[in-house]
Amino acid sequence: MAQARELYEDATRLHDAARALLADHARALEAVRAAHAPLRDASVAEELASLPLGRLKDVTEGRLRLAAVQAAGFTSVGEVHEASRHRLRQIPGVGAQTADQALAAARQLARAVGETVSVRIDVDRPEPRTTALVTALYRLVEAGPDLTRAVQTAERYEKSLDELLPAARPATGRLRLAFTGRHRRDAARAALAGLRELTARAAEADVPLRLAQATADLLREPASEIEPWVDFEVRSAEYYSRLAEICAQPTDLAAAEGFVPSEVAERVHAQPLDDTHRRVSLRGYQAFGARFALAQRRVVLGDEMGLGKTVQAIAALAHLAAEGHTHFLVVCPAGVLINWTREIGARSTLRALPVHGPDRRDAYAEWRERGGVAVTTFDVLHTLPDGDGDGDGDGDGDGGPPPGMLVVDEAHYVKNPDTRRARSVAVWTARCDRVLFLTGTPMENRVEEFRALVRHLRPRLVAELGERPGTAGPHAFRRAVAPAYLRRNQKDVLAELPGLIQVDAWEELSAADRDAYRAAVAAGNFMAMRRAAYADPETSAKLRRLRELVAEAAANGLKAVVFSYFRDVLTVVREALGDDGSGPVFGPLSGGVPAARRQRLVDDFTAAGGHAVLLCQIEAGGVGLNLQAASVVVLCEPQIKPTLEHQAVARAHRMGQVRAVQVHRLLAADSVDERLLHILRNKNRLFDAYARRSDTAEASPDAVDVSDDGLARRIIEEEQTRLALRPRDAPEPSHRL
């Protein structure tokens, strides 16, 4: 009996832990709803105040007489909505029926507005109500994706223990068991066995520890009032994602689902999406995109830049991994191979193996043996064994079983079927049951390219589209290609987001750039180290990625601004962009350009129709200019002073910006960029953020940033040690050109 009592007590403690987590989670959700409600009500009131009084007639189909109400000084729907029945009846000429009808119409409009209004969190103007909401969300976001799984686990254990504990109680004492009927004794012993199995399974999976950790995370208070705001700046998308889940933030469902026909949408909704191997929450449209890829099996995901196509692909891979698939293949341009590898590791529990460089054969063999996500490039793909028996490149044909899913990023690279990369992709798409093409190019504007892409996936659909499927207009085109194509635009699905999407784009130094970098390290030349990634424009990985970003911006009709600390880097960029002819390139706008000339450059850039590029030296373009015409910002290298980046991005991300701003920071792996970010990340970010908001910081960035000389010296010494380079006699690091 002692063992039975001990087992019962263990199960009771597990039950209490599960209930405690669920209660704390419920309180955390309620705190978000309570903080959200007054902000939502204020937004509704603001919207109603902007509606003219005459809109009440629209609701009542013109039957409502408002002359007397208007004569009394009422001008908006909001004023009527806030008035009482008694107040309206005091107006001469307004009877009980008119007052009731006016109030009913105002309330109907308020409900309609409430279904569409979104709460926006203004990080530049924090006030008590928004601080309360950000703080309430902070606990849930900071707890991370493990919280959701912990809550689901707690729900399962609570439900099982609610049944087993009462049934097993008679078996915990001899006297209690003796006075229990035979049927209940048998049930008690069976329940006790169930508790034994349940607690053993929980102990093996560390469930008590996971529940306790999740509870602690939910109860942890922020170190200061500003900490949630700092975190919100870093990952606002996660905050808005949680807010949408908890408070049902309104979205245009048809737009979020790419306006696909109802029969396709129903099939996608029926597709489950397992999050066991996923480490990130998805927004509603992203979950739909991942489900679309799984349900439709062979598709093109053509979302606009900045909507998270990579995350949606990873979510699909994670689901397939949960179903038992072990091998996946991602093909991408060389410039984003590092990004894919890092994103897979950060967003999922899947194992990413770069199949690239001189060791690609060994990496491929390891992938075939152990599984995971092989990430390779278009140029390497043709050299891999394709398993079709004849080999597509110099492989031996022993490709093994096909991957559970093939993902092709920047799929417009294979639009020309006569190229080697297109032929290699065609071989692999023929092998795989599930294929996901990713591209930000709007296909309804390039129908022939779409036909070339979809031919890889669904040849029959190409025949069904006919010769000129785009002549009927974009809506008809989307319906025709709906089985294989999904596209969403930022303005349709990110209505409540403050327009800032930040992406770190990691690249590998080319051989020439690596030689230039090593020479700069050996010479102790910090500034040469920072711009070594552009030493050879012909092979520069950063420059290649920059051109891809600008080309994608051009395809979507977006303006871009490119920042660098170095004038010679901007000169290289201008020469590289001048060749593509996608749009005008203005600048460089540098410190030597007179103020009036600077403004003319910005005005010309703003006035240019469609896509254009403005080149800015970051110290000149980061202060005093409004660049809200730009919705794509590219930072050629990380800055020593974080405030420089903050101020530069703020030139575009400011009042008057009508689109979300995408910020792409180009970074070179295994270089000064990585060391610089690591050191700056370890600074006290709370103080840094607080100082950035102060008048002193805006006037003098030097007041809060780390010492240039000390930072440069430290990085040089560490890089010389890492690369085993003997430092030569050299002057102190220079920070100016």
Side-chain angles (χ1 to χ4, degrees):
M1 285 298 169
Q3 289 182 344
R5 283 194 296 271
E6 184 178 351
L7 173 62
Y8 189 86
E9 289 171 0
D10 289 344
T12 300
R13 283 192 292 270
L14 180 61
H15 187 235
D16 291 343
R19 294 182 65 182
L21 173 58
L22 295 177
D24 290 334
H25 184 245
R27 281 192 289 270
L29 297 182
E30 184 53 36
V32 172
R33 296 188 185 102
H36 175 264
L39 292 170
R40 175 187 170 277
D41 292 345
S43 297
V44 171
E46 184 179 352
E47 183 72 17
L48 292 178
S50 69
L51 297 179
L53 189 66
R55 288 292 300 275
L56 295 175
K57 283 188 175 182
D58 298 338
V59 177
T60 60
E61 297 180 351
R63 295 191 300 271
L64 183 61
R65 297 179 180 179
L66 295 172
V69 177
Q70 192 167 8
F74 286 77
T75 60
S76 71
V77 173
E79 291 172 320
V80 174
H81 185 258
E82 293 175 2
S84 66
R85 183 173 184 267
H86 176 73
R87 168 74 178 87
L88 292 176
R89 288 195 63 184
Q90 296 302 307
I91 299 173
V94 176
Q97 182 177 0
T98 299
D100 290 345
Q101 286 180 337
L103 283 174
R107 288 166 185 161
Q108 183 176 339
L109 282 173
R111 286 192 296 271
V113 170
E115 292 174 357
T116 59
V117 74
S118 296
V119 169
R120 295 174 182 267
I121 300 172
D122 190 345
V123 72
D124 294 318
R125 287 193 291 272
E127 47 99 6
R129 291 183 305 178
T130 52
T131 296
L133 178 58
V134 172
T135 301
L137 287 167
Y138 170 80
R139 291 186 174 90
L140 295 163
V141 173
E142 185 70 7
D146 289 340
L147 174 63
T148 301
R149 285 188 280 274
V151 169
Q152 292 170 347
T153 300
E155 289 171 342
R156 291 196 303 271
Y157 276 88
E158 184 195 39
K159 181 179 179 181
S160 299
L161 291 168
D162 277 344
E163 299 173 358
L164 291 173
L165 282 171
R169 182 169 173 75
T172 60
R174 295 183 185 278
L175 188 60
R176 188 179 293 112
L177 194 62
F179 283 94
T180 301
R182 179 179 177 182
H183 177 71
R184 288 193 61 194
R185 281 201 303 271
D186 292 342
R189 293 189 179 103
L192 201 64
L195 288 180
R196 185 175 294 106
E197 180 183 350
L198 195 70
T199 55
R201 188 164 66 246
E204 183 179 356
D206 286 331
V207 169
L209 180 61
R210 288 164 50 201
L211 298 183
Q213 182 63 57
T215 297
D217 289 340
L218 280 176
L219 297 178
R220 185 179 296 114
E221 294 287 340
S224 70
E225 185 180 271
I226 198 171
E227 182 172 17
W229 279 109
V230 175
D231 196 58
F232 174 78
E233 282 194 74
V234 174
R235 42 179 177 171
S236 61
E238 294 184 42
Y239 279 73
Y240 277 109
S241 180
R242 294 311 303 264
L243 183 61
E245 293 172 4
I246 298 166
C247 298
Q249 288 279 85
T251 58
D252 185 338
L253 186 60
E257 296 179 354
F259 302 100
V260 298
S262 58
E263 62 272 16
V264 175
E266 289 173 6
R267 187 159 55 249
V268 173
H269 286 304
Q271 168 67 48
L273 187 61
D274 194 298
D275 68 350
T276 302
H277 296 289
R278 182 163 28 96
R279 287 176 171 160
V280 63
S281 297
L282 300 178
R283 297 182 64 80
Y285 75 88
Q286 291 174 330
F288 185 87
R291 286 188 168 95
F292 180 85
L294 293 166
Q296 299 299 99
R297 305 181 87 86
R298 302 171 68 85
V299 300
V300 177
L301 179 59
D303 285 346
E304 189 178 12
M305 287 174 69
L307 293 185
K309 293 187 288 291
T310 300
V311 169
Q312 294 174 67
I314 292 172
L317 298 180
H319 172 87
L320 293 173
E323 286 190 341
H325 293 273
T326 57
H327 292 71
F328 308 99
L329 179 61
V330 173
V331 184
C332 61
V336 295
L337 184 139
I338 298 176
N339 273 0
W340 267 101
T341 304
R342 290 173 183 253
E343 285 292 293
I344 291 167
R347 309 293 185 181
S348 75
T349 64
L350 304 180
R351 178 169 163 269
L353 287 89
V355 180
H356 186 58
D359 298 327
R360 62 182 180 272
R361 287 305 186 114
D362 292 340
Y364 183 80
E366 181 182 350
W367 172 67
R368 289 274 24 130
E369 180 181 352
R370 297 181 55 194
V373 185
V375 185
T376 192
T377 67
F378 291 107
D379 292 334
V380 170
L381 183 65
H382 81 282
T383 70
L384 302 179
D386 51 51
D388 64 351
D390 55 15
D392 184 52
D394 56 3
D396 57 14
D398 184 17
M405 176 176 275
L406 168 67
V407 178
V408 180
D409 193 15
E410 305 291 355
H412 50 273
Y413 276 41
V414 298
K415 64 186 179 183
N416 184 350
D418 296 328
T419 61
R420 186 175 65 184
R421 63 177 58 160
R423 291 195 299 269
S424 300
V425 168
V427 170
W428 281 93
T429 56
R431 293 192 63 214
C432 298
D433 181 50
R434 288 184 174 87
V435 182
L436 175 58
F437 280 8
L438 307 177
T439 175
T441 303
M443 292 299 167
E444 58 267 35
N445 295 337
R446 292 168 174 77
V447 177
E448 289 308 313
E449 291 182 12
F450 177 81
R451 290 169 62 88
L453 292 184
V454 84
R455 190 174 285 110
H456 288 283
L457 307 173
R458 301 190 180 204
R460 291 183 181 178
L461 182 59
V462 174
E464 294 171 3
L465 287 175
E467 289 302 317
R468 299 179 62 81
T471 56
H475 291 293
F477 174 79
R478 286 192 177 194
R479 171 168 283 276
V481 302
Y485 178 50
L486 178 67
R487 178 177 172 85
R488 281 77 55 89
N489 297 314
Q490 287 183 2
K491 65 183 178 63
D492 294 326
V493 297
L494 295 184
E496 83 288 357
L497 272 176
L500 187 61
I501 302 164
Q502 297 178 301
V503 180
D504 283 348
W506 288 93
E507 313 295 337
E508 287 183 335
L509 291 172
S510 68
D513 292 343
R514 194 177 298 111
D515 290 342
Y517 182 74
R518 290 177 63 87
V521 172
N525 189 332
F526 185 67
M527 289 309 190
M529 290 164 59
R530 291 184 62 201
R531 57 184 187 268
Y534 301 92
D536 185 351
E538 294 296 322
T539 63
S540 169
K542 276 193 179 184
L543 195 58
R544 181 178 63 245
R545 182 59 180 152
L546 188 151
R547 294 183 69 171
E548 291 170 355
L549 291 170
V550 170
E552 190 165 356
N556 288 281
L558 306 179
K559 286 185 169 67
V561 57
V562 178
F563 287 108
S564 176
Y565 184 87
F566 304 101
R567 290 195 296 270
D568 56 350
V569 168
L570 293 175
T571 300
V572 170
V573 171
R574 181 174 182 85
E575 291 173 357
L577 296 181
D579 296 334
D580 60 15
S582 60
V585 179
F586 297 92
L589 192 159
S590 64
V593 177
R597 172 62 179 157
R598 292 188 204 179
Q599 191 57 58
R600 282 200 300 274
L601 280 172
V602 173
D603 292 344
D604 292 344
F605 168 71
T606 302
H611 169 70
V613 178
L614 177 65
L615 307 180
C616 291
Q617 194 172 13
I618 198 162
E619 288 191 311
V623 179
L625 294 174
N626 296 335
L627 304 175
Q628 61 262 40
S631 49
V632 176
V633 175
V634 182
L635 300 169
C636 290
E637 70 283 320
Q639 303 305 309
I640 299 173
K641 297 183 175 76
T643 46
L644 277 181
E645 291 188 10
H646 174 77
Q647 291 169 344
V649 172
R651 297 310 102 204
H653 182 229
R654 60 189 298 114
M655 187 178 297
Q657 173 60 249
V658 296
R659 295 183 63 94
V661 176
Q662 306 158 36
V663 181
H664 300 269
R665 182 163 52 176
L666 303 181
L667 303 165
D670 296 323
S671 77
V672 62
D673 294 356
E674 200 156 13
R675 298 298 308 137
L676 185 60
L677 289 189
H678 176 73
I679 292 172
L680 294 178
R681 195 177 295 124
N682 290 335
K683 290 177 59 181
N684 186 326
R685 67 175 186 168
L686 293 180
F687 170 77
D688 205 29
Y690 180 80
R692 280 206 307 271
R693 292 192 179 89
S694 73
D695 293 337
T696 301
E698 291 297 323
S700 179
D702 293 328
V704 296
D705 285 304
V706 295
S707 163
D708 289 8
D709 290 339
L711 183 61
R713 190 176 297 108
R714 176 180 170 185
I715 291 177
I716 289 171
E717 291 172 354
E718 291 179 355
E719 285 297 88
Q720 286 175 341
T721 300
R722 182 179 70 85
L723 297 175
L725 293 173
R726 186 170 189 160
R728 303 180 217 147
D729 293 332
E732 287 296 315
S734 172
H735 302 283
R736 300 288 173 185
L737 292 176

